[in-house]
Amino acid sequence: MMNVVLGAGISGLSAAHYLLKTAQKAVVIESSGNLGGWIRSVRKSNIVFEQGPHTVRVAGDGGPNTLALLEDLGLEDRVSAIKSDHPAVKNRMIYVNKHLHMLPTSIMSLLTTSPPFSKPIVSAIFQDLKTPPKVCEDESIHEFVERRLGKEIADYLITAMIRGICAGDGKEISVKFLMKSLHEAEQNHGSIVKGIVKNVLKKQPVKPRLPGTESSLYNKARNEKWSIWSLTGGLEVLPTTLATFIHKLGGKINLNEQCTEIKFDSGKAIVKTRSCTYEADHVFSSLPAYKVAPLLQAQHPIVARELASIPTVSVAVVNLQYEGKLLSQEAFGFLVPSTENLALLGIIFDSVCFPSGDNTVLTVMMGGRWFTDFLGADPSPQKLLDMAVGYVRDILKISVQPQSHIVSVLRDCIPQYVVGHHGRVARIKQYINENKLPLSLIGSSFDGVGVNDVILCARRAVNNIHLK
Ligand SMILES: Cc1cc2nc3c(=O)[nH]c(=O)nc-3n(C[C@H](O)[C@H](O)[C@H](O)COP(=O)(O)OP(=O)(O)OC[C@H]3O[C@@H](n4cnc5c(N)ncnc54)[C@H](O)[C@@H]3O)c2cc1C
Ligand SMILES: C=Cc1c2[nH]c(c1C)Cc1[nH]c(c(CCC(=O)O)c1C)Cc1[nH]c(c(C)c1CCC(=O)O)Cc1[nH]c(c(C)c1C=C)C2
């Protein structure tokens, strides 16, 4: 079987790897001159600055799968793990009313009142139990949490979390993005608490693990209680190592080649680029939905319209390095809820997460859903640097100038799973199935925005064409 994979980000490279491992052929077509898509690690002054993802989670459906991939690639010794008792895991803060507040983590802290909350978090349980259910297919995560758990939790916790995962607005993002099971609990049992209790009492069948996702590395991660990890040299080591394996297994990666059209004829796919036409048995597209839409427009305008309506947001990322240990809090970083009305989304304390010598390393993230409102259409690197340094000075009280910095604008880097997203994705998949198109849509626009999600999605897509 000849397969064309569009995009050499982590999804496209993973799909090619899985295809080649099952003795299929794969050619990867990438429009830019780089591997890894949004995974970008830049070494400067002997420090690795991450412009995209910083860490990957061990937990969740995709966690074991990614660790199995690392083991397959021989990257076990490069893993830099952060255990669950590390301050970067335990301590997360939010910035509210011009102050940083540690989020409650222990049972005790849930029982006591601590600012910015006016009641103990545990009181949300009573609100949930006394609130009648609202029957609905989907709604915003803010609306759901405000109704069931209270306005403060929705305003402070939920909007911050949504900014820290998809740089989006909690009032637009679907409840199913992060709280699918809690939404189902309300729909099926009338409240979150009742749903959770019923599920605990009803013996849940053990979810079978996807074959091939077992690994000694995951067992080690479990035994040693890893929570998140990165790689020595930066996360970009993962896509570059994948590319080496793809070449070794006989696959091809064509950089600087942009796909311009996909057509289907007699069960085959015709993929056009500016310089070439490829005939393939199957196409795996890992491009963001808004970039796949025009490629399908001529032959499949209905699905193209659905794809084009999955929005994205841009994020300005400013990496900063200061001499000396200047942070007064040991934490992963802090997030800014939407209530604060700031361009700043949050700051990651990289030097708390990973050893960085006698330096303070920070990543300032700005814009997201509010990019043009606060930063304008095309902010200059100097403006973004000044804003980032200003936030660090005002909030973290670090008033010296950074020794080095990198400013980047990540255009349309994170898809937004707005209310109705899951229905839209189901319709797109149904269209592809009904029309028997030899096409798999993978990447972060559809079934999860994290690194684990997109690698797992690539694996499932490759497994699925085997079954057809
Ligand atoms: C700022 C930021 C922080 C993040 N932090 C985390 C984190 O901490 N943890 C985590 O798990 N995840 C994080 N993520 C998410 C993670 O980075 C993404 O899920 C992942 O990188 C998406 O990979 P992908 O391969 O699906 O897409 P992409 O990386 O977008 O790759 C798609 C590729 O397709 C190419 N392409 C586009 N158009 C064409 C065309 N017409 N023809 C050929 N090629 C084309 C692009 O150049 C690109 O290389 C973060 C993302 C961002 C932006
Ligand atoms: C401020 C902006 C952003 C920060 N990180 C991201 C953005 C847009 C992107 C991102 N972060 C996470 C993921 C998903 C990973 C997954 O689901 O596997 C993505 C796409 C992980 C994450 N980061 C934070 C949280 C609460 C999560 C969810 C999972 C987890 O608990 O690890 C918090 C957080 N992100 C940022 C900051 C400054 C911050 C908190 C202090 C930056």
Side-chain angles (χ1 to χ4, degrees), residues 132-333:
K134 173 182 158 189
V135 178
C136 69
E137 178 51 35
D138 199 359
E139 66 180 325
S140 82
I141 190 163
H142 184 277
E143 220 175 317
F144 173 78
V145 172
E146 180 175 15
R147 183 161 45 75
R148 298 231 61 92
L149 303 174
K151 184 166 165 51
E152 287 183 350
I153 295 185
D155 280 353
Y156 300 144
L157 282 186
I158 296 302
T159 69
M161 195 164 76
I162 292 296
R163 283 161 75 106
I165 298 177
C166 69
D169 184 347
K171 293 187 175 169
E172 295 174 353
I173 301 297
S174 163
V175 61
K176 295 182 188 174
F177 176 53
L178 291 182
M179 296 190 166
K180 192 164 183 274
S181 59
L182 302 191
H183 178 250
E184 282 168 2
E186 180 188 43
Q187 297 305 305
N188 299 333
H189 305 288
S191 98
I192 297 175
V193 176
K194 283 183 203 157
I196 292 174
V197 171
K198 286 203 175 131
N199 278 339
V200 169
L201 295 178
K202 190 172 80 186
K203 260 203 169 154
Q204 292 294 319
V206 180
K207 231 171 142 186
R209 184 93 63 74
L210 196 68
T213 62
E214 303 81 12
S215 69
S216 314
L217 192 59
Y218 177 64
N219 294 338
K220 183 175 177 190
R222 288 266 311 244
N223 291 338
E224 295 181 3
K225 296 193 166 52
W226 298 0
S227 177
I228 46 178
W229 56 266
S230 180
L231 295 170
T232 310
L235 279 176
E236 206 176 306
V237 168
L238 177 54
T240 50
T241 309
L242 268 171
T244 308
F245 268 69
I246 289 169
H247 288 131
K248 271 194 206 153
L249 293 167
K252 279 185 83 180
I253 303 173
N254 297 341
L255 296 179
N256 298 306
E257 190 168 7
Q258 185 181 345
C259 175
T260 51
E261 191 175 18
I262 312 171
K263 280 196 167 168
F264 302 96
D265 188 14
S266 319
K268 295 267 184 195
I270 321 294
V271 176
K272 287 193 179 168
T273 70
R274 292 200 197 290
S275 53
C276 239
T277 299
Y278 299 81
E279 193 183 279
D281 295 298
H282 201 91
V283 179
F284 292 81
S285 168
S286 73
L287 316 189
Y290 79 96
K291 285 197 172 170
V292 197
L295 308 181
L296 295 170
Q297 175 64 37
Q299 226 180 25
H300 298 284
I302 299 172
V303 87
R305 197 173 337 114
E306 294 270 26
L307 288 165
S309 51
I310 299 177
T312 54
V313 298
S314 304
V315 178
V317 177
V318 181
N319 302 95
L320 299 169
Q321 176 238 328
Y322 296 82
E323 228 171 54
K325 298 265 180 222
L326 307 175
L327 286 167
S328 46
Q329 295 97 340
E330 289 250 289
F332 183 79

Side-chain angles (χ1 to χ4, degrees), residues 7 9-11 29-31 37-38 53-55 259 287 291 413 443 449 451:
I10 192 64
S11 330
I29 296 172
E30 165 61 45
S31 59
W38 294 120
H54 283 57
T55 51
C259 175
L287 316 189
K291 285 197 172 170
C413 61
V449 299
V451 169

